[in-house]
Amino acid sequence: MAIERTEQVWLDGKLIPFDQATVPILTHTLHYGLGVFEGIRAYECDDGRSAVFQLREHTERLYQSALIVDIEIPFPLDETERAILQTLRVNRLSEGYIRPLAFLGEGAMGLLPADNPVHLAIITWPWGAYLGEEGLEQGIRAKVSSYTRHHPNVSMTKSKTCGEYVNSILAKREVTRLGYDEAVMLDTQGFVAEGSGENIFIVRRGVLKTPPLSSVLAGITRASVIAIARDKGIEVVEQTFTRDEFYTADEAFMTGTAAELTPIRELDDRKIGDGTRGPVTKTLQTTFFDAVHGRERKYEGWLTYY
Ligand code: PPE
């Protein structure tokens, strides 16, 4: 699915036309995958203004990802935040997706990129429902992938490192080729970890369960949904669980910036609950969308208007 190009891209401190935002063939990250990125969404609010959801959290995670893989982003965090808002404004995007990307440029080749410059790009584009509009309402069909999720001591899980997404792409391709919508990945011990680009929750007897952060990305949507659930008096536990516990859950859903809050109606051809969006999922999803669209005063602090 090709994206719709916007007019300008922010690159190393300047806004330039989209088509001029290109990289040389010896760009280090292109060869070895050592770069970090973020995925952020901006939404049009009910009062006509637009806001970025959880801007500070995402920007901080970008810098933490960089620290984990030992890249130094040559701009202070608040400048990056301002650049994100500026890029949305110049492209007149009232809502959309924001992709900050820090990557190593030309210089040394080989596995010791000592002095290669670190570049920072901010790209924005309109992006609809990642797993389909229908998926948001009816739920999606997921399948456990044969590819295992990263081990913390192999390539780590807390950083959104470019190259680590090869693992996600292999899993996503594998299951979509078989006709499913999304992959569920197990950790190296066989417990449920996360989707190719989403965190996972199950609901059983009214209690929400999600894998602990030890083997998954610390999703910002995950944290937002946990906060919403607790505010509603729903018990949330962060505990490992197996695929058979997943099969026998009453409800299940995925969270992510791109995927937002998408119900899972089937896993490995087994219906979850009654195979529709469950009541707890629906409540959380409704409040999540209210929050991102500025309809919930309580969560206004998660929005940065631009
Ligand atoms: N796990 C993984 C592996 C992951 O990539 C994401 C985000 C999440 C969990 C959820 O994190 P958060 O967005 O903070 O709630 N995946 C991004 C990449 C999607 C893409 O196709 O590119 C995203 O949702 O933006």
Side-chain angles (χ1 to χ4, degrees):
M1 195 173 32
I3 65 144
E4 193 185 316
R5 288 185 176 204
T6 45
E7 280 171 31
Q8 305 202 55
V9 166
W10 187 98
L11 182 63
D12 296 332
K14 284 199 247 15
L15 284 156
I16 58 171
F18 202 109
D19 291 342
Q20 286 173 27
T22 54
V23 294
I25 200 68
L26 286 181
T27 299
H28 196 276
T29 303
L30 192 59
H31 296 250
Y32 306 112
L34 189 83
V36 295
F37 70 93
E38 261 308 313
I40 315 174
R41 267 190 196 269
Y43 291 91
E44 205 173 295
C45 296
D46 281 18
D47 64 5
R49 292 186 291 167
S50 289
V52 177
F53 184 64
Q54 301 275 32
L55 177 61
R56 179 48 62 100
E57 295 291 316
H58 281 284
T59 317
E60 279 180 351
R61 192 172 62 187
L62 177 72
Y63 283 74
Q64 284 160 7
S65 291
L67 183 145
I68 289 170
V69 298
D70 202 9
I71 291 178
E72 200 173 327
I73 299 177
F75 296 92
L77 188 145
D78 51 350
E79 190 173 337
T80 300
E81 279 191 349
R82 281 198 299 278
I84 288 170
L85 300 172
Q86 191 191 7
T87 310
L88 286 165
R89 284 194 296 262
V90 297
N91 286 308
R92 296 181 301 279
L93 268 183
S94 60
E95 50 185 15
Y97 191 77
I98 306 139
R99 166 58 50 82
L101 170 69
F103 61 98
L104 299 184
E106 262 187 306
M109 286 309 276
L111 301 180
L112 200 57
D115 297 323
N116 297 46
V118 178
H119 299 287
L120 180 63
I122 299 166
I123 313 123
T124 55
W125 63 85
W127 227 12
Y130 188 66
L131 297 168
E133 278 298 333
E134 200 196 309
L136 284 176
E137 278 177 34
Q138 314 294 329
I140 55 147
R141 297 176 58 242
K143 175 160 178 54
V144 173
S145 169
S146 67
Y147 295 99
T148 302
R149 196 61 187 149
H150 301 301
H151 181 277
N153 210 24
V154 174
S155 58
M156 302 180 280
T157 58
K158 297 282 173 290
S159 163
K160 283 182 77 75
T161 307
C162 300
E164 291 190 6
Y165 279 81
V166 172
N167 176 247
S168 288
I169 292 172
L170 290 172
K172 177 110 184 180
R173 274 201 173 146
E174 177 187 37
V175 307
T176 53
R177 236 174 230 150
L178 295 169
Y180 300 89
D181 304 307
E182 186 53 286
V184 165
M185 306 190 70
L186 306 180
D187 67 19
T188 46
Q189 294 191 295
F191 294 106
V192 172
E194 59 189 334
S196 68
E198 305 89 1
N199 291 110
I200 292 172
F201 288 83
I202 56 171
V203 182
R204 192 153 186 207
R205 300 204 175 106
V207 177
L208 208 52
K209 194 184 266 194
T210 190
L213 291 179
S214 46
S215 64
V216 299
L217 185 75
I220 292 162
T221 321
R222 174 188 183 277
S224 309
V225 168
I226 290 175
I228 291 170
R230 291 195 171 134
D231 284 346
K232 291 191 179 300
I234 298 169
E235 191 187 336
V236 186
V237 293
E238 296 178 58
Q239 257 172 34
T240 51
F241 57 89
T242 54
R243 67 199 280 180
D244 46 3
E245 187 173 340
F246 199 148
Y247 294 157
T248 54
D250 300 328
E251 304 177 30
F253 60 87
M254 291 182 150
T255 62
T257 299
E260 299 166 305
L261 196 163
T262 301
I264 302 171
R265 69 179 150 95
E266 253 181 47
L267 178 65
D268 297 345
D269 303 303
R270 287 139 175 103
K271 253 194 223 170
I272 308 290
D274 63 5
T276 61
R277 172 174 59 186
V280 176
T281 304
K282 182 150 193 253
T283 303
L284 295 171
Q285 191 190 45
T286 303
T287 308
F288 173 76
F289 281 117
D290 284 345
V292 301
H293 289 106
R295 291 191 286 266
E296 274 273 359
R297 286 211 85 80
K298 195 192 246 168
Y299 305 119
E300 281 258 335
W302 292 347
L303 304 181
T304 304
Y305 292 96
Y306 62 94

